[in-house]
Amino acid sequence: MRCQRGSVILYGTLLFLIWNAVLVLFLRARLPDQGTKRVPNNDDNTDVVGEVLRVADMLEKELESQNKILMEIQKLKLGRCAGQKKLKPMLPPDPVISVLVMACNRVTVRRCLDKLIEYRPSAELFPIIVSQDCGHAETADVIRSYGSTVTHLMPVDLADVAVPPEHKMFQGYYKISRHYRWALNQVFRSYSAVIIVEDDLEVAPDFFEYFRATLPLLRSDPSLWCVSAWNDNGRQGFVDPSGSRLLYRTDFFPGLGWMLLRELWEELEPTWPAAFWDDWMRKPEQRRGRACIRPEISRTLTFGRQGVSLGQFYDKYLQYIKLNSDFVPFTQLNLTYLKEDVYKKSFQKEVYDAPAVSFEDIQQGALEGGGPFRLQYSSKDSFKVFAQSLGIMNDFKSGVPRTGYRGVVTVFLKGRRIYIAPPPGWTEYDPS
């Protein structure tokens, strides 16, 4: 706007100079030729001619002076406008990613919220919405104590869900699924990307940095359908302690702190299940061959032993998950290696170029070299035997092992990378 105003002034000055120039030319044209002999006239005529010549000379000098001033103004204007363009480039706005905290009757939601608020870089870019089911008064008081720092939502329908008689003991799972559907419908009215966090999760210092950096991948790669902060086999002693920057693709839906886009919710919502929504997500009909991104070292830690699952897996696995403590500047890293066309080829080459070893070699510490190594399994049963013996999670969901990518599960044991892999030529999972 300032440059435009300067242009108006400049053009006005130019018109003034042109008028002066025309006036000088007019006066000179009215004078007799200096080279011809004038017929003597009376003294009055001589005085008039002399005065006109004097004025014309003055105007001509003034015109030259103003022309110099005009050139200086033009130089200053060009420099100032160029400087403004250099200092204020047109940059795309930072994306807004809402954080949806699913709460019920845990007053320890404070631990979750405190860490989210402590680590988020911007309240505008990462608005926190707490959706509280159950109507638990003490938990509601805790959430309200944060004032305008968070948005507190409460669904109206808190009644029991009508369930088949044989599912009476699973009433809690039906309520959770209903709550997820309601809360996601509310949030996606205003936001295009959402990170879902349960009220019993603590987040890492680079939790927000991780999701901000992976959002462009999720938006641009149709073979991805989520980004998760969780590694199911991320216990201390099973991850590379120096691998805080390592990210993977996985065919297994991890959950426990995960990001999805509005487009995916619009796809899932019409057939959202009445219960067991996370296992439903893992079925081939929903996954459709798509993968999630997950870290080597988890960016969330669960502290909720008590819940509808009655602590399933918590005592043996979940309480020992290692939470990342180093801040990784993911937004400054090149993450294009996670795109499917690049990742699939390089991952398969690394796995199947690795020397094959036996389970006995691993057990007896007979591995030579720094790895990686490949431990081949031939069936679900043989995988379960290996996983059980090594101490990692051994269950399958719709035929996919936890953290698996194209049938391969990667772990870090005693300082070496081990790929537990199916035979070469693997094509698809067996959901039976």
Side-chain angles (χ1 to χ4, degrees), residues 4 14 34 54 84-85 155 223 334 356-357 398 423:
Q4 292 175 354
L14 183 61
Q34 297 289 332
R54 186 178 68 80
Q84 287 179 359
K85 291 177 182 177
S223 70
N334 184 356
V357 297
S398 295

Side-chain angles (χ1 to χ4, degrees), residues 210-211 226-231 254-259 292-295:
Y210 169 66
F211 283 109
C226 87
V227 177
S228 174
W230 182 258
N231 175 3
L256 293 177
W258 59 288
M259 177 169 63
C292 293
I293 295 173
R294 61 98 177 167

Side-chain angles (χ1 to χ4, degrees), residues 74 118 169 191 407:
Q74 177 70 5
E118 177 184 354
M169 67 180 69
Y191 302 102

Side-chain angles (χ1 to χ4, degrees), residues 156-412:
V156 175
D157 187 3
L158 302 179
D160 284 350
V161 181
V163 302
E166 64 272 18
H167 279 192
K168 187 176 181 180
M169 67 180 69
F170 300 129
Q171 175 70 219
Y173 289 102
Y174 281 80
K175 287 186 175 182
I176 288 173
S177 191
R178 178 180 66 184
H179 184 201
Y180 266 78
R181 187 177 203 161
W182 181 86
L184 286 168
N185 275 331
Q186 303 307 308
V187 175
F188 275 122
R189 290 175 180 173
S190 303
Y191 302 102
S192 61
V194 173
I195 304 169
I196 300 175
V197 178
E198 287 81 2
D199 57 359
D200 61 346
L201 291 182
E202 179 180 333
V203 303
D206 57 355
F207 175 86
F208 294 97
E209 175 77 359
Y210 169 66
F211 283 109
R212 176 187 277 181
T214 51
L215 178 61
L217 285 171
L218 186 59
R219 282 179 167 162
S220 63
D221 188 346
S223 70
L224 292 172
W225 70 325
C226 87
V227 177
S228 174
W230 182 258
N231 175 3
D232 278 288
N233 289 316
R235 289 191 294 153
Q236 187 81 36
F238 290 85
V239 293
D240 183 349
S242 62
S244 57
R245 295 186 175 212
L246 295 177
L247 304 180
Y248 302 88
R249 292 174 70 102
T250 176
D251 298 322
F252 189 89
F253 171 69
L256 293 177
W258 59 288
M259 177 169 63
L260 75 160
L261 303 179
R262 179 188 286 141
E263 293 81 359
L264 179 63
W265 178 242
E266 290 173 348
E267 173 192 320
L268 298 176
E269 196 272 342
T271 55
W272 190 252
F276 312 109
W277 69 269
D278 47 351
D279 285 342
W280 176 83
M281 288 275 292
R282 292 164 181 146
K283 291 182 177 180
E285 296 83 359
Q286 280 66 248
R287 191 171 67 83
R288 299 182 184 179
R290 294 172 291 193
C292 293
I293 295 173
R294 61 98 177 167
E296 168 81 359
I297 303 177
S298 291
R299 265 57 186 189
T300 53
L301 172 70
T302 177
F303 54 84
R305 184 180 185 280
Q306 299 300 323
V308 293
S309 65
L310 303 177
Q312 184 185 24
F313 297 129
Y314 185 85
D315 292 335
K316 189 172 183 180
Y317 298 105
L318 304 185
Q319 66 175 321
Y320 301 111
I321 293 291
K322 176 178 172 60
L323 181 66
N324 184 63
S325 58
D326 301 326
F327 185 93
V328 177
F330 282 113
T331 56
Q332 300 175 27
L333 305 181
N334 184 356
L335 302 182
T336 55
Y337 70 90
L338 290 164
K339 286 184 173 289
E340 183 182 35
D341 54 347
V342 178
Y343 187 89
K344 179 180 175 181
K345 184 177 180 179
S346 63
F347 182 80
Q348 287 187 296
K349 178 175 174 54
E350 181 169 342
V351 170
Y352 291 101
D353 282 356
V357 297
S358 68
F359 181 70
E360 290 72 23
D361 291 336
I362 297 175
Q363 270 192 323
Q364 297 169 9
L367 301 179
E368 296 182 0
F373 299 98
R374 175 166 50 93
L375 175 62
Q376 185 168 298
Y377 68 91
S378 57
S379 65
K380 286 184 180 180
D381 289 337
S382 63
F383 174 86
K384 287 188 174 185
V385 169
F386 292 157
Q388 183 73 27
S389 300
L390 293 174
I392 63 173
M393 299 188 80
N394 66 353
D395 61 324
F396 289 78
K397 298 292 184 179
S398 295
V400 185
R402 291 181 186 268
T403 76
Y405 179 71
R406 298 189 61 78
V408 180
V409 171
T410 171
V411 294
F412 197 79

